[in-house]
Amino acid sequence: MDLARVDAILEGRGSEPFDVMEVLQDIQEEFRYLPEDAMRQTAEILQVPLIEVFRLANFYKAFSLKPRGRHLITVCTGTACHVQGARKLGDQVLGQLKVGPGETTQDGAFTVETVNCVGACALAPVVIIDGEYYDHMTPKKLRKLISRIRKVDAQEEETRTNA
Amino acid sequence: MPEMVTLAIDEQEVEVEEGTNVLAAALGAGICIPNLCYLPGLKPTGACRVCIVEVEKNGRTKMTASCTLEAKDGMVIHAHSENVLRARRNIVELLVAEAPESEVLQVLAERIEVEDVRYPERDNDCILCGRCVTACAEIAATGAKGSIGRGMNRHIGLPFYNEEYCQKCYECRERCPMEIAPQSRRDPCGVCGSELSKNEDLIPEMCGDCELD
Ligand code: SF4
Ligand code: FES
Ligand code: FES
């Protein structure tokens, strides 16, 4: 792991809890998970107890302790979404991608997670793909979305190998 | 000279330094408020809720933990009202159900006259009182341990669950209600108001974790 990338993130940060949160968010974005060494570095440079960093990393669903795939699919399973059929959506994604909840596909393309309410209950059921919120989701729409992402990825891959 | 504040605890006038918590004030005045997670002199966390009291204000009362409540001038505290006793019994009942193996909890339950435990036994080996975390941070100054996860999954652990971060001083273990035996060296003083504490036959087990001198 490239600690210089962590150091760049840590540059000029304070050690208030919100600073630590910001740092962790940036590390998550940079590496798509929170590597142990990055957490150690954070604790050391910001002079906060390591357990504080580890605790935050474990507390928030936004953080991942294992590498996440290139695309993150989050299915809301909060009350409103559950009532509107979130389970069918979950079954659709997990079946289509052949992973369990919280897992990443073998090719590292997708990680599927669940979350309990994202505060958009009126739009239930909600699915978030790579930070974009999709409202009133149906298994069919979801299947198409995933296939489309796959296709775009494959095309990009092709142009890259041809170049 | 530190500022002094005067408050009433169970109708007794108590004078303490500003900044003292109500539990410490009561214990200092010989009024026993049963407590569990509190470690005298260290930062209270309010985790166990055993030390609850009623605070009276404008004829209304509010229940709150006394260890995390700062004593204020003119405060009126009821530590042994019917409401408090009932709620405290219920809290300890829940704790016993959580960890039926803990002798300290059993003694505490006995001392505040919990008659039976109506909740299903969980058989946990930790009640999340946080004494170990406080001890690790403030006594050992290691600050290695902490509570991880949330809700039902909350638990105490070390960073990355790696034992290497523990300095093996065992300040934590010495304070864990799951590991320690009830304090047995004190004579029954009777100040906590429990009938048990007045009964010679029931020593040495009864005065659970009493912090009174
Ligand atoms: S391990 Fe012991 S001291 Fe620590 S929180 Fe659990 S019961 Fe309390
Ligand atoms: S339950 Fe899904 S957004 Fe609230
Ligand atoms: S002693 Fe006050 S909440 Fe535990």
Side-chain angles (χ1 to χ4, degrees), chain A residues 40 50-51 54-55 59 61, chain B residues 144 147-148 150 157 160 165:
Chain A
R40 271 192 211 105
L50 181 56
I51 188 71
F54 188 60
R55 209 175 56 81
F59 193 88
K61 282 258 182 174
Chain B
S147 87
I148 304 167
R150 51 178 167 174
F160 316 119
Y165 289 101

